């Protein structure tokens, strides 16, 4: 059994991985209802007092950056743009030293209005989720007729310099399973970078079915009907996306084969939920409660120590492909995707 080196300040786990990329969920609430994420009626949202305050979040990020070696912070949710203090949180994050990379994953609603303020506050770039360019299908998948807002949000992000704008898409068989190529052509035309993600068993309704999931293999085959894809010479590192040069480059496209091409061995993520729990994996079934410690007077050193301990116990893989796999209790929207 390996033993943690007490002199290593970083977020290492017992398999030797080091987490330096922090995903912070700012809220579990959302203004869309994507069918692969949550039910039409929404979920039982976290009670307001249970959600970390802006100051509590910033304190934990400062500890992560100054004491634990975190170099990258990505805000997510739920929908992070509906958090009222988002601009101030971004500003405080960008002021940390050493300055982390600061990015945001959003559904794009409201981005057209807030992109300039986010850029001024120090946000480096955004990932915008978009599963189809067809307005009817967008409405069907997200249960809201908001496609024009998302497109306007992407354009505003690019204009504000939040680049490269990356576009995240999930393909659902029988719904938008032929949208890979139109999405790629749209991204090529606008200078955005497309990432297609295999659907994961993280929806609140537990409706994920491996047998109907669109696989990375199928997605690539579809993309290749319209373009030549060649291996990206840039090393993948800890990125979950396998990337390809499109028609010789420089444009790229990525496929995130979370299920069929798992990348757990090089994972460098650590996660903070909106209610102050550390998760060492999207699929973790255990969490470590920093909020209680934070609210009962723990010092920065004590909080850092708890965080290190939480990461040490990270499992080698997500286990989706094991017959004994159990979905985590929290759905994606409450973890922070
Ligand atoms: N609301 C923001 C958004 O949609 O970008 C941020 C949170 S959302 C949970 C983050 C990402 O997770 C989105 O790109 C979304 O498409 C993806 N996602 C949600 N549920 C998923 C699932 N079951 N499988 C794969 N990706 C999923
Ligand atoms: Fe909301 Fe994002 Fe989940 Fe869609 S994927 S319901 S936009 S949290």
């Amino acid at each position: 059994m390996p033993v943690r080196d007490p002199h290593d300040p970083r977020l290492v786990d017992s398999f030797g991985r080091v987490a330096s990329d922090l995903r912070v969920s700012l809220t579990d609430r959302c203004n869309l209802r994507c069918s692969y994420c949550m039910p039409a009626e929404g979920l039982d949202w976290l009670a307001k007092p249970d959600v970390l305050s802006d100051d509590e979040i910033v304190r934990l990020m400062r500890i992560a950056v100054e004491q634990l070696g975190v170099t990258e912070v990505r805000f997510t949710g739920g929908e992070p743009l509906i958090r009222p203090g988002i601009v101030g949180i971004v500003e405080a994050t960008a002021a940390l030293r050493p300055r982390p990379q600061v990015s945001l994953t959003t559904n794009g609603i409201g981005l057209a209005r807030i992109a300039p303020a986010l850029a001024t506050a120090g946000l480096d770039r955004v990932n915008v989720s978009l599963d189809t360019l067809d307005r009817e299908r967008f409405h069907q998948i997200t249960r809201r007729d908001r496609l024009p807002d998302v497109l306007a949000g992407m354009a505003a992000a690019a204009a504000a310099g939040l680049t490269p704008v990356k576009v995240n898409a999930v393909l659902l068989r029988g719904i938008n399973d032929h949208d890979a190529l139109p999405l790629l052509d749209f991204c090529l035309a606008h200078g955005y970078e497309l990432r297609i993600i295999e659907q994961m068993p993280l929806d609140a309704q537990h409706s994920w079915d491996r047998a109907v999931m669109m696989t990375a293999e199928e997605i690539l085959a579809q993309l290749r009907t319209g373009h030549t894809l060649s291996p990206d010479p840039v090393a993948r590192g800890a990125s979950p996306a396998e990337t390809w040069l499109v028609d010789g480059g420089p444009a790229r496209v990525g496929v995130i084969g979370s299920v069929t091409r798992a990348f757990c061995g090089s994972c460098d993520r650590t996660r903070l939920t909106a209610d102050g729990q550390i998760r060492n994996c999207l699929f973790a079934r255990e969490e470590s409660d920093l909020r209680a410690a934070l609210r009962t007077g723990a010092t920065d050193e004590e909080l850092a120590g708890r965080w290190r301990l939480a990461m040490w116990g990270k499992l080698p893989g997500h286990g989706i492909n094991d017959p004994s796999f159990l979905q985590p209790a929290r759905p994606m929207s409450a973890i922070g995707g």
Side-chain angles (χ1 to χ4, degrees):
M1 195 53 185
V3 177
R4 199 183 183 286
D5 173 0
H7 303 294
D8 191 338
R10 302 170 303 168
L11 295 171
V12 292
D13 68 41
S14 64
F15 298 92
R17 293 166 296 189
V18 181
S20 57
D21 180 348
L22 169 59
R23 300 287 153 122
V24 181
S25 173
L26 294 181
T27 176
D28 60 331
R29 296 170 192 241
C30 191
N31 40 18
L32 295 184
R33 296 284 182 273
C34 304
S35 61
Y36 50 79
C37 185
M38 59 169 87
E41 65 278 13
L43 295 164
D44 288 334
W45 311 123
L46 291 170
K48 287 256 161 66
D50 291 343
V51 174
L52 295 183
S53 68
D54 294 2
D55 287 347
E56 287 172 329
I57 290 176
V58 172
R59 179 176 173 204
L60 291 177
M61 287 193 301
R62 181 175 53 70
I63 293 170
V65 169
E66 291 179 354
Q67 303 202 22
L68 302 171
V70 162
T71 57
E72 207 175 328
V73 176
R74 166 93 57 93
F75 296 108
T76 179
E79 176 45 47
L81 296 187
I82 64 180
R83 178 148 183 149
I86 175 92
V87 174
I89 293 174
V90 166
E91 195 171 11
T93 310
L96 294 172
R97 293 294 175 268
R99 186 195 190 284
Q101 279 290 308
V102 190
S103 62
L104 180 76
T105 298
T106 170
N107 62 28
I109 294 172
L111 187 56
R113 182 182 45 81
I114 206 174
L118 288 171
T120 305
L123 189 72
D124 294 309
R125 39 163 231 92
V126 289
N127 280 36
V128 183
S129 301
L130 175 67
D131 305 323
T132 179
L133 291 156
D134 179 278
R135 193 162 173 169
E136 286 288 308
R137 282 202 290 285
F138 182 94
H139 192 168
Q140 182 187 1
I141 294 169
T142 66
R143 303 185 177 104
R144 300 287 187 273
D145 182 21
R146 305 296 297 269
L147 178 63
D149 305 64
V150 179
L151 299 180
M154 285 176 180
L162 298 173
T163 52
V165 172
K166 295 189 182 173
V167 174
N168 291 357
V170 176
L171 297 186
L172 305 172
R173 199 179 300 282
I175 299 176
N176 64 337
D177 52 4
H178 283 89
D179 278 325
L181 203 48
L183 280 167
L184 178 56
D185 288 333
F186 166 81
C187 288
L188 293 174
H190 290 83
Y192 308 151
E193 241 183 85
L194 179 64
R195 298 266 183 278
I196 304 185
I197 313 168
E198 278 180 347
Q199 190 188 356
M200 294 179 277
L202 285 171
D203 58 312
Q205 318 84 288
H206 291 229
S207 63
W208 181 84
D209 179 353
R210 191 195 173 104
V212 299
M213 179 192 78
M214 291 285 291
T215 64
E217 208 57 48
E218 288 174 286
I219 295 163
L220 284 166
Q222 205 183 119
L223 295 173
R224 286 193 164 109
T225 62
H227 296 277
T228 307
L229 304 186
S230 49
D232 189 342
V234 175
R236 179 175 177 185
S239 167
E242 267 181 87
T243 51
W244 282 265
L245 294 180
V246 182
D247 300 327
R252 294 183 159 77
V253 66
V255 176
I256 303 184
S258 324
V259 179
T260 63
R261 301 178 182 209
F263 36 83
C264 304
S266 57
C267 180
D268 66 350
R269 307 276 166 85
T270 180
R271 295 171 186 277
L272 175 65
T273 65
D275 57 345
Q277 311 298 305
I278 296 299
R279 297 180 61 88
N280 56 29
C281 172
L282 257 184
F283 295 92
R285 297 183 52 76
E286 283 173 19
E287 302 181 335
S288 182
D289 185 6
L290 286 197
R291 186 190 62 201
L294 187 75
R295 291 184 179 174
T296 49
T299 62
D300 286 0
E301 286 65 32
E302 284 163 352
L303 291 167
R306 278 174 180 257
W307 203 325
R308 288 188 193 105
L309 211 61
M311 293 310 293
W312 180 252
K314 179 166 170 145
L315 295 176
H318 54 44
I320 298 176
N321 300 313
D322 296 345
S324 59
F325 173 76
L326 284 175
Q327 236 183 275
R330 279 187 201 250
M332 182 73 132
S333 56
I335 296 171

